[in-house]
Amino acid sequence: MPAFIGVTSLALVLVGATLMVVAEQGSDGSITTFADAVWWALTSITTVGYGETYPVIALGRGVTVVLMIAGISLFGLLTANVAAFLPRKIQPIAPKPS
């Protein structure tokens, strides 16, 4: 499952960056290159959002919303996997019968 989360995150970043470059092409926005779009996608999917790159076109803002929701969902999946993994590895110490 962690591999699925990693591959899905990478795919979302690359697809989101590509869509953003296409959507913001020709605008006065701060996302002008693919590298800018990848940085924007990474900060958006992790919901950090530093603010130095942002979309100005409605389509770009829509892509941002989808990427943020996907990032929150993937982080929830990762957290659930860690929580499910821990009880299997940590076994309680039972008292010895006397």
Side-chain angles (χ1 to χ4, degrees):
M1 186 61 120
F4 168 78
I5 295 169
V7 169
T8 305
S9 298
L10 180 63
L12 283 171
V13 166
L14 294 176
V15 169
T18 303
L19 288 173
M20 188 57 68
V21 167
V22 171
E24 294 287 314
Q25 193 172 30
S27 71
D28 252 353
S30 59
I31 302 171
T32 56
T33 65
F34 186 71
D36 289 340
V38 169
W39 176 250
W40 161 85
L42 284 170
T43 59
S44 295
I45 202 167
T46 59
T47 67
V48 172
Y50 290 119
E52 74 270 11
T53 54
Y54 52 89
V56 294
I57 305 290
L59 177 61
R61 291 178 180 178
V63 172
T64 303
V65 169
V66 170
L67 202 58
M68 285 182 199
I69 291 171
I72 292 167
S73 301
L74 288 171
F75 185 73
L77 277 174
L78 181 64
T79 304
N81 278 312
V82 170
F85 175 76
L86 289 177
R88 288 184 272 164
K89 291 295 180 184
I90 301 173
Q91 298 177 0
I93 299 172
K96 292 182 182 179
S98 44

